[in-house]
C-alpha cells in the first residue's frame, strides 16, 4: 500500500515553535500527507506516500534543521483499552471483523463475556496512531466512548454564531468526534460546555474542529464562570467521583417484527425536520442503503420507524446516516411509537396453568410486546404494536383458546375527573353542613345573649362559667375537632413539608381562639373570678364560612372546565363496523363495536344523526356534518366521497361509509383535548408573581398577627383609659342610656380587658387574610379563557402565549395559504375571436379541460377544475399525444368533445363536426414562440395587465391560432382585507413576508392593505427575519408570526407568538403557540382579543385580591379603631370566604366572550381605508436591508413609548378629520372613478 505511517523520534525540541517549524517544513515535502509532532513525547507521526518519498529522506530533512531525528523502532505494538458503543452481543463477530480491517490494527479482543462495550485493540505504532484508530472506528459506525474516571470539562468562548443552525452545526460536529461525552452550546452566551476524555482526544483537536467551521474559539478561565448557573444549566451530566453518570451508549430496544425472518425494527428520534420534503429526503436516502428494508418517518412526532437487517447495518449507523443528511438523530432508549396497551376481562380462568397458557399463546402473536395476566382479578394487560395487530385480534385469539374476553369498561377521563371533583365538592358540602348545624345556633345564641343580657348579668352556671360560655363551648367543640379535621390534616401535611398555606392560618385562628377561651374560663373558675369574654364563637362560624366558601368555590371551579368537559363528551363510545363483499361491493355484515376497538382501514357505517366514531375518509355517500364544537363553524359542512371526516362530529342527513385513517390517540379530537388539557394546567408568567407572593404570604400574616397581639398588649397597658371603651366588656356593660352599670366585684380586671382586645384583633388578622384569592386569580382565568377559545376554534397552548398575545405590536403574515387561499384558481377568461360564432366559451372550455385532463401541474389542475365546475361533470373528451414541457406548457390532440356542445346547446353552437381533432397548445409566450405562433401586441397587453396584478396569464392556441387567454391566481381569502384593517386599527404593525417575486407580492399587498412587504425571502431566511424583528422591538413588545404551521414552522417557533392557521388536521402543529382550527384569517383577531380580555380579567382579579388583603388586614388589626372601624373574627371569616368565591366568579364571566363578527368592521372607516389601501406600498427584495435597532437604543426605547402613543394619536386624529372632510366632498367621485387612485399608486423597491 502506498500510504504509510511511521513514527520518528525527535530530540532537541524546546517549545511549540520548534513543533510548528518541523510540521510546516515536512508538510511541504512532496509525498507527505501529514505530520503531527508531540513535544511531550518527543515523537513525530508522519503519513506519507512511499512511492513518492522514502522515510529516510524525511528523517534527513529534520536532521538538516538542527534536530536529532531517527526512526522509532521501540515498542512497535501497543494496546488500546476502549469503551465502544453501538455493538450488541450478537454482532461482536461482525464488529471484530470490521475493526480488524482498519490499517495498523493487529488484533481485537472482547475480554468480558456478555459485555459488548469493553474492547482491547492491539495496533502497530509505526503504521497508525491512537487517534487515527479512534477516527476509523467512528467512521464505520461505532462510538468511542470516554471512560468516566477520565472525563474533563472545558469551557470555550465561540464567536461567530448567528442562529440555531450554527449551534446545531457545532454540536453535531463535536458529538461525532471520538471521546466526547457531552456538549452543550449556548447561542445566547456564545459559549460551549464540553465533557470529554483527554486521553482519547486533546482539547486542541476539539478547538481545531470548531475553528474549521469558521468560528473563533477561545478557552474560558473557570474562575470567570458562574458556577451556580453552570451546575443547574450547563452541566446536566455529573462528573464527581462516586456519582452515577449516564453512559453515552444508548440502550437500543429492538423488536423482532417477524418470527420467520431476521429483520428487526428500531425507532429513531429526529430533530430538525420542518416540512414534508425533509421526510421525503430521509426516506428516499435511507431506502438506498443495503440492509434497510423499510423506513416510515412521522413529521409531527419527529420519529422514524426503520426495519433493517442487523447482519448489514445496526441502529447507531442508521442514526449516523441521518445525521449526515443534516438532521440530528438519536436511537430511542424506549420504543414509544406504535406501542399500544389494552386491558381485558378474561373468563374461565381457574388456576396458574390457565394464566401460563394465555400468556404464552398471546406472546407468540406477531406484534405483541408483552402479556400480563392476573388470576385473582381475572384481568389481563397486553402491550402490542398497533401497526401489526389490533385489540380485536387479541380478543379473537383468547376466544379461540377457550378464554372469552371483553374490554374493561373503564370510566372515561371526563367521568373520572368529574367523580374526583364531585367527591371534593361533597366533602366540603358535608363539612359546611356539619359546621352550620352548630355554627348557626352559636350565632343566634350569641346575638340573643348580646341583646338580652349584659355580660355581667348573664346567667351563671358556676362562678367563672356563664351559661353563654357553656353553650358556646358545647357548640364549638364538635366543629373544632370533627368538622375541622380536614383543615388540621392539610395544615399538618403543609408544616411537615416546611410550607404554609391557607389551612395553617385557619387552624391557627380557630385553635388560638378555642384554647385561649378554655384557658381563661378554667382560670376564672379556679380563681373564683367572674365569667370572662371568650371566643368560642370563632371556630364554628369561621369553619362554617370557610367550608361554605370552599364549597361554592368548587362548584364554580367545576364550571371553568366546561369547555374541556364538552370536548371529552364528544368522544364517541362506539361505531358500526361493516364488512363489504369485495366482488359485489355490498354490505354483508354489520357489527357494533366500541370505539377503542376500531383499527386502521376499518369500514364504518354512520347513520343520519349518528356520531362519526373516528377520523376517516368518506368512501360512499353524501351528507353534511356539524363540526361546530370542534371548529366553531356554525354552518354544516358538506361531505362527499373523498372528504375527510373528524371523529366526534355529528352526521346530519345522509348515510356515510367511511374508512378509518386515524384511530385512538391519533385522532384530531384526542389531539385537541391534549392541547386544551396542557393549556389549562400550564402557568402564565404572571402566575409566577402570585406564587412568589403566596410563598411569603402566610409567614407574613402570622408575623403580623403576632405583632398585632404584642402591640395591643403594650397599648393596653400604656393607654388603658383610651382603649377600655373598645373592649367587649365595655359594650356588654353599656345600658340603654349609655351609663356604665357597675356591679361591685364584677368589674373586669385590666388584664382581662387588654387580653380580650389583643387576642380579638390577632385572631381577626388570621381569619381575614386570604392567599387563596391571589392563587386563584390567574389559573381560573387561564382555564376559562383557553376553554372558551377551544370551543370557538382557537387553541391556545397554555398561559404563556395567552399572556404574550396581548403584547403583540408587530404581526407578520405569510402569503401562500395564509393571506391567500393556497391554491390557484381561474380569475379571468378572455376570447380573442369574439366575432367568430364557432369559438364560444363552451367550446374553448371543453377543449381546454380535455387537454389538461392528464396534467399534474398546479395551473393545469386549476384550469381543469374550472372546466369541471362549468360543465358539472368529471368526464371530458379524448386526449392523445399529450406532451408537457416544464416551465413552458403542453401540447396535445383533443377530440370527441361534441357531446359537450350538444348538451344545452346555445344559438352559437349550431356547427357540429363529429370527431374533429384539435391540435392544442397551452402555455406562456415562450411556448407559443417555440411553436412558431406569433403573440400580437393586443394579446401581450392583456397578459401584461394581469401579470401586473400578480396573476399568471396562460395562452391557448388551437390549430395554430391563439384563441384565448386564461388568467390564474392564488386568490386572497375573502376576509383578509377586513382582518388587516382591524389589526391596523388596533395599532399593530402588519408585515407580509413571502418567497414570491416582487410583482406578485406587491399585488397581493395592494389587495389586502399591507404597506410593508418582504418578497423573495427564502424559507431559511424567515426565521432570521423574525429574530431581527424581535431584536428591534421595544422591551415588552411581542412579535407574532402567522403561517400555515408546517413550512413556516422555524419562524413560528422563533416568534414570541406563533399562530398556525389551518384546519382540524393541523391541530397537532408543534411549532405554533396558537392553533386556529378553522381556515379563517379573522380568528387571528379573535385570538388577540381573547388574550387581551383574559389578561385584563387576570389583572382585575389580582387587583381585587391585593386590595382586599391590603385593606382587610389593617382593618382586622385594629388600625382604624380610633375611627370606629373594627371587625369581629366571624365577620373576617365571612369576608375571607367571599373573596375566593368572588375571584372565581369573576373569571367565570369570561365565558361570555364571543369572537368579534368581522363584518362589524365593514364601516365608514373601512371604506376610506379601502380607497387608499393600494398606495405607498414598500416592497423589499430579501431581508438584507432590514434595519437592526438594538433594544437598548434611544430609537427602540421611544418606539411604543407613551410619548409615541400620544403623538400617534394626535396624527391619527388629524388624519381622521381630514379623511372625513375628504369623504364628504369627494365621496361620489371616488366611488364612481377609482382608476385615478390606482394610477397614483407607487411602489418602492428597496
Amino acid at each position: 500500500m502506498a500510504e504509510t505511517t511511521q513514527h520518528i523520534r525527535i530530540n532537541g525540541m524546546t517549545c511549540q515553535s520548534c513543533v510548528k517549524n518541523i510540521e510546516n517544513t515536512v508538510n511541504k515535502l512532496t509525498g507527505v500527507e501529514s505530520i503531527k509532532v508531540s513535544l511531550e513525547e518527543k515523537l513525530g507521526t508522519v503519513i506519507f506516500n512511499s512511492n513518492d518519498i522514502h522515510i529516510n529522506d524525511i528523517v534527513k530533512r529534520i536532521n538538516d534543521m538542527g534536530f536529532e531525528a531517527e526512526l522509532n523502532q521501540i515498542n512497535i505494538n501497543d494496546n488500546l483499552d476502549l469503551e465502544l458503543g453501538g455493538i450488541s452481543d450478537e454482532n461482536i463477530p461482525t464488529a471484530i471483523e470490521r475493526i480488524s480491517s482498519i490499517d495498523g490494527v493487529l488484533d481485537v479482543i472482547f475480554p468480558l463475556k456478555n459485555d459488548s462495550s469493553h474492547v482491547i485493540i492491539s495496533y502497530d505504532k509505526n503504521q497508525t496512531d491512537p487517534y487515527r484508530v479512534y477516527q476509523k472506528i467512528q467512521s464505520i459506525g461505532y462510538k468511542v466512548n470516554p471512560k468516566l474516571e477520565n472525563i474533563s470539562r472545558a469551557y470555550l468562548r465561540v464567536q461567530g454564531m448567528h442562529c440555531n443552525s450554527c449551534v446545531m452545526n457545532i454540536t453535531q460536529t463535536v458529538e461525532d468526534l471520538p471521546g466526547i461525552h457531552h456538549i452543550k452550546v449556548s447561542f445566547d452566551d456564545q459559549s460551549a460546555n464540553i465533557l470529554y476524555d483527554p486521553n482519547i482526544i486533546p482539547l486542541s483537536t476539539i478547538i481545531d474542529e470548531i475553528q474549521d467551521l469558521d468560528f473563533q474559539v477561545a478557552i474560558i478561565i473557570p474562575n470567570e464562570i458562574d458556577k451556580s448557573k453552570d451546575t443547574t444549566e450547563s452541566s446536566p451530566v455529573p462528573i464527581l467521583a462516586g456519582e452515577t453518570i449516564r453512559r453515552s451508549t444508548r440502550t437500543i430496544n429492538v423488536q423482532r417484527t417477524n418470527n420467520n425472518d431476521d429483520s428487526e425494527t428500531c425507532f429513531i428520534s429526529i430533530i430538525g425536520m420542518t416540512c414534508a420534503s425533509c421526510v421525503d429526503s430521509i426516506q428516499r436516502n435511507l431506502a438506498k442503503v443495503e440492509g434497510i428494508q423499510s423506513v416510515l418517518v412521522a413529521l409531527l412526532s419527529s420519529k422514524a420507524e426503520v426495519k433493517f437487517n442487523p447482519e448489514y447495518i445496526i441502529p447507531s449507523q442508521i442514526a449516523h446516516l441521518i445525521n449526515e443528511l443534516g438532521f440530528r438523530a438519536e436511537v430511542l432508549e424506549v420504543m414509544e411509537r406504535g406501542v399500544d396497551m389494552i386491558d381485558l376481562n378474561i373468563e374461565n380462568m381457574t388456576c396458574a396453568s390457565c394464566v401460563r397458557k394465555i400468556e404464552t399463546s398471546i406472546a407468540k402473536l406477531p406484534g405483541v410486546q408483552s402479556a400480563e395476566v392476573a388470576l385473582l382479578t381475572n384481568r389481563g394487560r397486553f402491550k402490542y404494536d398497533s401497526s401489526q395487530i389490533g385489540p380485536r385480534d387479541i380478543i379473537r385469539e383468547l376466544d379461540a383458546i377457550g378464554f372469552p374476553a371483553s374490554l374493561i369498561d373503564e370510566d372515561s377521563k371526563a367521568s373520572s375527573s368529574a367523580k374526583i371533583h364531585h367527591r371534593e365538592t361533597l366533602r366540603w358540602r358535608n363539612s359546611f353542613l356539619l359546621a352550620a348545624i352548630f355554627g348557626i345556633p352559636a350565632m343566634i345564641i350569641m346575638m340573643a345573649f348580646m341583646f338580652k343580657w349584659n355580660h355581667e348579668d348573664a346567667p351563671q352556671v358556676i362562678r367563672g362559667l356563664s351559661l353563654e360560655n357553656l353553650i358556646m363551648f358545647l357548640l364549638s367543640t364538635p366543629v373544632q375537632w370533627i368538622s375541622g379535621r380536614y383543615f388540621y390534616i392539610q395544615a399538618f401535611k403543609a408544616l411537615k413539608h416546611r410550607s404554609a398555606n391557607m389551612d395553617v392560618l385557619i387552624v391557627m385562628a380557630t385553635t388560638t381562639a378555642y384554647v385561649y377561651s378554655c384557658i381563661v374560663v378554667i382560670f376564672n373558675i379556679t380563681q373564683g373570678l367572674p365569667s370572662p369574654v371568650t371566643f368560642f364563637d370563632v371556630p364554628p362560624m369561621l369553619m362554617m364560612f370557610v367550608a361554605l366558601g370552599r364549597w361554592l368555590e368548587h362548584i364554580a371551579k367545576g364550571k371553568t372546565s366546561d369547555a374541556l368537559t364538552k370536548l371529552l363528551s364528544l368522544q364517541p363510545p362506539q361505531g358500526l363496523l361493516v364488512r363489504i363483499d369485495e366482488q359485489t361491493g355490498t354490505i354483508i355484515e354489520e357489527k357494533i363495536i366500541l370505539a377503542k376497538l376500531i383499527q386502521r382501514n376499518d369500514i364504518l357505517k354512520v347513520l343520519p344523526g349518528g356520531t362519526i366514531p373516528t377520523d376517516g375518509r368518506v368512501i360512499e355517500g353524501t351528507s353534511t356534518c356539524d363540526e361546530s364544537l370542534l371548529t366553531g363553524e356554525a354552518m354544516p359542512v358538506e361531505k362527499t366521497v373523498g372528504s375527510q371526516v373528524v371523529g366526534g362530529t355529528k352526521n346530519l342527513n345522509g348515510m356515510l361509509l367511511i374508512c378509518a385513517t386515524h384511530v385512538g390517540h391519533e385522532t384530531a379530537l384526542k389531539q385537541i383535548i391534549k392541547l386544551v388539557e396542557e393549556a389549562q394546567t400550564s402557568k402564565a408568567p404572571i402566575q409566577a408573581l402570585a406564587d412568589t407572593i403566596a410563598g411569603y404570604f402566610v409567614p407574613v400574616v402570622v408575623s403580623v398577627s403576632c405583632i398585632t397581639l404584642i402591640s395591643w398588649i403594650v397599648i393596653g397597658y400604656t393607654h388603658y383609659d383610651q382603649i377600655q371603651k373598645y373592649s367587649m366588656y365595655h359594650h356588654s356593660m353599656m345600658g340603654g342610656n349609655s351609663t356604665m352599670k357597675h356591679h361591685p366585684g364584677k368589674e373586669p380586671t385590666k388584664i382581662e380587658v387588654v387580653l380580650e382586645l389583643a387576642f380579638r384583633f390577632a385572631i381577626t388578622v388570621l381569619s381575614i387574610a386570604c392567599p387563596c384569592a391571589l392563587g386563584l386569580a390567574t389559573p381560573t382565568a387561564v382555564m376559562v379563557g383557553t376553554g372558551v377559545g377551544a370551543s370557538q376554534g382557537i387553541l391556545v397552548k397554555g398561559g404563556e402565549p395567552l399572556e404574550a398575545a396581548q403584547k403583540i405590536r408587530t404581526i407578520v403574515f405569510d402569503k401562500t395559504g395564509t393571506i391567500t387561499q393556497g391554491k390557484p384558481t381561474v380569475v379571468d377568461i378572455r376570447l380573442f375571436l369574439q366575432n367568430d360564432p364557432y369559438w364560444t366559451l363552451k367550446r374553448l372550455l371543453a377543449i381546454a379541460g380535455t387537454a389538461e385532463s392528464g396534467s399534474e401541474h398546479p395551473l393545469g389542475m386549476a384550469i381543469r377544475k374550472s372546466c369541471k365546475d362549468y360543465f358539472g361533470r368529471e368526464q371530458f373528451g379524448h386526449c392523445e399525444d399529450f406532451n408537457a414541457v416544464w416551465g413552458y406548457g403542453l401540447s396535445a390532440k383533443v377530440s370527441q368533445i361534441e357531446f359537450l356542445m350538444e348538451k344545452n346547446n346555445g344559438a352559437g353552437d349550431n356547427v357540429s363536426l363529429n370527431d374533429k381533432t384539435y391540435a392544442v397548445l397551452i402555455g406562456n409566450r415562450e411556448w407559443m414562440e417555440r411553436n412558431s405562433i406569433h403573440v400580437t401586441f393586443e394579446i401581450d397587453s392583456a397578459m401584461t395587465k394581469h401579470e401586473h396584478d400578480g396573476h399568471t396569464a396562460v395562452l391557448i392556441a388551437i390549430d395554430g391560432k391563439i384563441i384565448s387567454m386564461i388568467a390564474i391566481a392564488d386568490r386572497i381569502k375573502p376576509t383578509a382585507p377586513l382582518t388587516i384593517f382591524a389589526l391596523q386599527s388596533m395599532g399593530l404593525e402588519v408585515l407580509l413576508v413571502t418567497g414570491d417575486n416582487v410583482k406578485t407580492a406587491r399585488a397581493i399587498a395592494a389587495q389586502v392593505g399591507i404597506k410593508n412587504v418582504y418578497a423573495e425571502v427564502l424559507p431559511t431566511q424567515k426565521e432570521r427575519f423574525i429574530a431581527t424583528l424581535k431584536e428591534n422591538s421595544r422591551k415588552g413588545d411581542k412579535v407574532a408570526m402567522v403561517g400555515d404551521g408546517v413550512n413556516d414552522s422555524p419562524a413560528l417557533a422563533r416568534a414570541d407568538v406563533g399562530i398556525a392557521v389551518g384546519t382540524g388536521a393541523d391541530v397537532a402543529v408543534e411549532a405554533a403557540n396558537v392553533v386556529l382550527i378553522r381556515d379563517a384569517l379573522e380568528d387571528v383577531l379573535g385570538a388577540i382579543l381573547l388574550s387581551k380580555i383574559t389578561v385584563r380579567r387576570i389583572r382585575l382579579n389580582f387587583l381585587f385580591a391585593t386590595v382586599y388583603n391590603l385593606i382587610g388586614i389593617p382593618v382586622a388589626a385594629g388600625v382604624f379603631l380610633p375611627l370606629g372601624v373594627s371587625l369581629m373574627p366571624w365577620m373576617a371569616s365571612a369576608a375571607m370566604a367571599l373573596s375566593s368565591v368572588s375571584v372565581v366568579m369573576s373569571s367565570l364571566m369570561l365565558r361570555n366572550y364571543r369572537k368579534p363578527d368581522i363584518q362589524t368592521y365593514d364601516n365608514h372607516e373601512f371604506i376610506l381605508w379601502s380607497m387608499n389601501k393600494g398606495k405607498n406600498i414598500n416592497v423589499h427584495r430579501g431581508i438584507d436591508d432590514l434595519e437592526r435597532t438594538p433594544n437598548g437604543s434611544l430609537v427602540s426605547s421611544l418606539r411604543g413609548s407613551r410619548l409615541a402613543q400620544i403623538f400617534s394619536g394626535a396624527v391619527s386624529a388629524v388624519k381622521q378629520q381630514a379623511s372625513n372632510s375628504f369623504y364628504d366632498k369627494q365621496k361620489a367621485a371616488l366611488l364612481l372613478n377609482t382608476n385615478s387612485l390606482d394610477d397614483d399608486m407607487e411602489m418602492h423597491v428597496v
Side-chain angles (χ1 to χ4, degrees), residues 11 74 108 161 179 228 257 266 407 438 446 452 509 626 661 703 724 738 919 927 964 976 1217 1219:
N11 294 316
I74 303 173
V108 180
M161 294 188 291
S228 62
T257 58
C266 69
L407 191 68
F438 299 97
M446 181 186 67
K452 186 171 181 63
D626 180 7
T661 57
S703 301
Q724 182 183 9
S738 300
W927 184 237
S964 173
Q1217 185 175 359
S1219 298

Side-chain angles (χ1 to χ4, degrees), residues 491-506:
F492 173 75
K493 291 180 179 179
L495 294 175
K496 183 180 178 181
H497 293 90
R498 298 182 180 180
S499 63
N501 55 16
M502 186 68 201
D503 298 312
V504 174
L505 291 180
I506 295 170

Side-chain angles (χ1 to χ4, degrees), residues 201-218:
I201 181 171
L203 181 59
S204 58
T205 302
I206 300 174
I207 294 175
D208 290 341
E209 291 287 343
I210 299 176
Q211 288 178 338
D212 288 343
L213 300 174
D214 293 332
F215 299 102
Q216 294 78 45
V217 184

